[in-house]
Amino acid sequence: MSGEMYAQLGRLARSLQSQQASDLDSDRLLRIATEMATEVLPGVAHAGVTLVVNRRRRSLETVAATGTVPRTVDRLQDEHQQGPILESLWNRYTVRVDDYQNETRWPDFVADIVEQTPVRSSLSIQLYTDEHELGTLNLYSDQAASFTPEVEELALALAAQAAVGLASARSSDELRSALASRDIIGQAKGIIMESCDVSSAEAFILLTKLSQESNTPVYEVARKLVFVDRPSR
């Protein structure tokens, strides 16, 4: 890897670390990672992150993209159930396509991507987020043979940084969600305590009983109670 590549990688790592420290929002971090890919990696014109949203159906969802091209590529692979993203997702390795006009794998998908997009080469790298979620960082070039060993090495480093950042961001997202749930449940308990003249423990027992009887999570019962007269805007 050249000195300039090392410098680019250093800037990329510092930027992602700064993003993690300032605002651990997973969606924003992934958008920044895809934007950086097009700025830092030579020849990369489009980038996106794709997650599996239904493992049984192998449905794909574009969670970050630099434009319409990555979304189109995801849609085509979802429709045909074939392509480099699915190959990378399920087999857990990096998939490179040097020239779509000469690519013989996934014939139906390849025919459509050549007809409907300017993409001529691509690189799909699996992001290891956690054991329950599969995702890939997908890089696209409008030129054939864009992904040289140096570019691929830098792309792998970018994917590693993004995966670490995503794991941290998801943990932060879950923490914020848990705190919000606790707050809503607390408000619901207060309403029950006031209206029924019961203690905090008794109010929570009533909440859990309502949850069991309606087969609804405690948080949902609490949310409906809190917002029944104050719908969210």
Side-chain angles (χ1 to χ4, degrees):
M1 186 182 290
S2 68
E4 177 57 26
M5 286 284 192
Y6 274 118
Q8 290 175 329
L9 178 56
R11 289 194 294 272
L12 181 148
R14 287 191 296 274
S15 296
L16 282 178
Q17 288 167 1
S18 175
Q19 166 64 15
Q20 293 173 43
S22 63
D23 183 6
L24 282 173
D25 178 86
S26 55
D27 291 337
R28 184 179 175 192
L29 186 143
L30 291 177
R31 287 196 301 271
I32 289 176
T34 56
E35 290 167 2
M36 283 183 180
T38 60
E39 294 170 3
V40 171
L41 302 177
V44 175
H46 323 277
V49 174
T50 306
L51 296 182
V52 175
V53 294
N54 185 324
R55 288 200 179 204
R56 180 174 295 179
R57 285 195 61 251
R58 309 204 328 173
S59 299
L60 302 179
E61 178 183 0
T62 310
V63 294
T66 55
T68 60
V69 169
R71 298 182 186 280
T72 300
V73 176
D74 282 358
R75 175 180 58 78
L76 292 174
Q77 288 187 80
D78 203 26
E79 289 176 0
H80 292 296
Q81 283 296 295
Q82 59 177 227
I85 293 175
L86 288 168
E87 192 79 19
S88 179
L89 283 168
W90 296 108
N91 294 311
R92 300 194 176 189
Y93 59 76
T94 299
V95 179
R96 186 181 69 247
V97 178
D98 289 322
D99 187 351
Y100 274 100
Q101 290 184 311
N102 295 317
E103 179 58 61
T104 57
R105 295 171 290 182
W106 329 294
D108 296 334
F109 162 71
V110 167
D112 278 351
I113 195 174
V114 170
E115 179 182 352
Q116 298 183 33
T117 79
V119 171
R120 293 300 175 263
S121 59
S122 69
L123 191 70
S124 294
I125 306 167
Q126 188 180 69
L127 295 175
Y128 294 91
T129 54
D130 60 49
E131 62 181 356
H132 304 295
E133 188 169 59
L134 295 173
T136 54
L137 172 67
N138 308 298
L139 310 173
Y140 306 101
S141 174
D142 295 345
Q143 306 296 322
S146 287
F147 294 96
T148 64
E150 274 198 335
V151 173
E152 185 169 339
E153 186 177 353
L154 189 58
L156 288 168
L158 168 60
Q161 290 287 340
V164 170
L166 180 58
S168 298
R170 286 293 167 86
S171 296
S172 181
D173 289 346
E174 290 170 4
L175 175 60
R176 283 195 291 268
S177 178
L179 291 173
S181 298
R182 188 182 66 179
D183 185 52
I184 292 295
I185 291 171
Q187 291 181 51
K189 283 168 55 180
I191 292 171
I192 294 173
M193 290 167 66
E194 182 179 353
S195 60
C196 299
D197 192 24
V198 296
S199 69
S200 175
E202 290 170 328
F204 187 70
I205 290 172
L206 284 172
L207 268 178
T208 56
K209 185 177 180 181
L210 285 171
S211 170
Q212 293 168 356
E213 290 177 350
S214 62
N215 194 28
T216 305
V218 171
Y219 168 75
E220 285 300 321
V221 173
R223 188 183 63 82
K224 289 176 182 178
L225 181 61
V226 170
F227 292 109
V228 65
D229 294 322
R230 294 180 294 152
S232 58
R233 296 179 179 179

